[in-house]
Amino acid sequence: MDNREEVREFLVSRRAKVTPEQAGLPAGTNRRVPGLRRTELATLSGISVEYLSRLERGQIAGASTSVLDALARALQLDDTERAHLFDLARAADGIPISGRPRRRAASKASSRPSMQWALDAITDGVAFVRDPRQNMIAVNALGRAFYSPLIGDGGRIPNLARFQFLDPVSREFYPDWERFADMCVAIMRAEAGRDPHDKEMQDLVGELSTRSETFRNLWAAHNVRTHGTGTKRFVHPVVGELTLAYEELAVTAEPGLVLLIYTAEPGSPSAERLRLLASWGASTDAAPIPEKENL
């Protein structure tokens, strides 16, 4: 897959985000472009305008580490954006990410007994494994109860991105829906940069771009991020609002898969609601959710 368009749009969009003041340059007058001019970025990066023009046309193959580092500094990229730039350059060079072969299909991981045993050993938190395409491929018991609005009872492999953008229920489940939407797309952007040959990712992006204007606009912004750690709010139809901390861990046996664990602060109302949710899940086996009640 030719990733020149991806490279071009990423570099141009990052240049537009850096103001002259942020770069320590005089703003001047009659500026016709948002952010830095190409000549200004070339000067800050220590490369010629002609070479920068080539890079911004997407011709990044063969760019040296020193050039990429200089660009990253001049564009004030954060760690995730810098990694994304290097991923795009490696893909243009035909070098697999981290020296590994292209990713294997991740669906087999869900049938590996030890994966499920590990998840089932986590009893006080929501735990699940997802692949780069936002497919939830394995989940623990509390996770099945927690994500019952997403998982349902159809036996399908749920996809977090499709739920986010195509299911109206997501706006109730995620009270900070816009923040979740931005995070979801930025994570997918970073994943797509690591493996531009991922046909399933391409198909998913095409589907969501066609069916969701919000997704299409966010995808065009070229923002990237890693999940890492943080706090999120949810509103579950059975137990109400939950504030949960999350940690994301790489599954080294299956490159590309990540384990996500959501936990509540001990002694907090959210911790008590998670216990109630676990009881509900055990009694109903996370069956279809009943009508909302005032709990």
Side-chain angles (χ1 to χ4, degrees), residues 67-187:
V67 165
L68 296 176
D69 273 331
L71 264 180
R73 286 194 300 271
L75 290 170
Q76 301 181 20
L77 303 185
D78 63 24
D79 289 345
T80 302
E81 290 171 323
R82 181 184 180 280
H84 185 62
L85 176 63
F86 275 76
D87 287 342
L88 293 174
R90 278 190 288 264
D93 288 336
I95 300 172
I97 183 66
S98 301
R100 296 190 181 104
R102 291 176 189 167
R103 288 172 178 148
R104 305 185 299 272
S107 57
K108 292 182 180 178
S110 60
S111 62
R112 192 168 71 242
S114 59
M115 172 77 77
Q116 193 61 56
W117 297 341
L119 288 170
D120 290 341
I122 302 170
T123 57
D124 292 333
V126 172
F128 66 94
V129 174
R130 69 158 175 81
D131 69 12
R133 305 162 206 94
Q134 300 292 308
N135 291 314
M136 184 185 294
I137 63 173
V139 64
N140 69 349
L142 183 51
R144 283 190 293 274
F146 179 76
Y147 278 110
S148 50
L150 166 61
I151 295 173
D153 60 348
R156 59 188 168 80
I157 295 177
N159 183 277
L160 292 160
R162 287 192 181 96
F163 177 69
Q164 174 79 50
F165 291 100
L166 305 182
D167 193 332
V169 173
S170 69
R171 291 185 179 269
E172 301 175 12
F173 190 60
Y174 302 140
D176 304 311
W177 190 89
E178 289 79 9
R179 174 174 171 250
F180 275 57
D182 185 69
M183 290 174 65
C184 179
V185 175
I187 291 167

Side-chain angles (χ1 to χ4, degrees), residues 19 44 115 144 202 274:
T19 66
L44 290 169
M115 172 77 77
R144 283 190 293 274
Q202 296 170 35
L274 272 187

